[in-house]
């Protein structure tokens, strides 16, 4: 069981032997926007295939719910690279849908 609650807009992502829970809450999206710029621009970059690994890592970092003890942003980035884009795409797509459409 992932512990992710889809009714709250959460997604589960298996990375590095851990199941991470991501939720694009208002606070998480404000923090992501502060770092990455306007969310509509982020969605546009994704649609154009111009989303960088650092964009994905930042978005996921800000959306993490109860991260495992000791998880650093650098370790999250490495786990994202190890997992590959095919594994990340469904979760990323879900978060982008939440940005556009809400819960």
């Amino acid at each position: 069981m992932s512990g992710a609650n889809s009714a709250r807009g959460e997604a589960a992502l298996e990375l590095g032997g851990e199941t991470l829970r991501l939720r694009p809450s208002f606070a998480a999206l404000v923090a992501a926007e502060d770092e990455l710029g306007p969310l509509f621009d982020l969605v546009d970059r994704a649609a154009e295939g111009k989303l960088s690994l650092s964009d994905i890592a930042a978005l996921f970092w800000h959306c993490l719910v109860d991260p495992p003890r000791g998880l650093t942003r650098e370790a999250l980035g490495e786990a994202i690279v190890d997992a590959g884009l095919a594994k990340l795409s469904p979760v990323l797509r879900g978060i982008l849908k939440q940005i556009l459409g809400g819960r």
Side-chain angles (χ1 to χ4, degrees):
M1 181 78 177
S2 69
N5 181 345
S6 61
R8 295 187 75 191
E10 294 179 350
L13 179 62
E14 274 290 322
L15 287 179
E18 297 276 352
T19 300
L20 304 178
R21 205 166 32 115
L22 305 172
R23 181 174 59 236
S25 66
F26 176 75
L29 294 178
V30 167
E33 191 171 51
D34 283 347
E35 179 176 345
L36 299 170
L39 294 177
F40 282 113
D41 291 348
L42 181 74
V43 171
D44 285 345
R45 287 197 310 270
E48 295 169 357
K50 295 180 180 176
L51 205 59
S52 69
L53 279 174
S54 65
D55 290 338
I56 296 168
L59 183 60
F60 283 8
W61 179 256
H62 291 295
C63 290
L64 273 175
V65 177
D66 300 326
R69 185 177 174 96
L71 180 68
T72 64
R73 188 161 171 172
E74 183 178 340
L76 176 65
E78 289 298 325
I80 286 171
V81 169
D82 289 345
L85 290 176
K87 188 172 187 177
L88 303 176
S89 291
V91 174
L92 178 60
R93 189 176 311 113
I95 290 174
L96 294 174
K97 280 180 153 178
Q98 290 292 333
I99 290 170
L100 288 172
R103 285 183 264 255

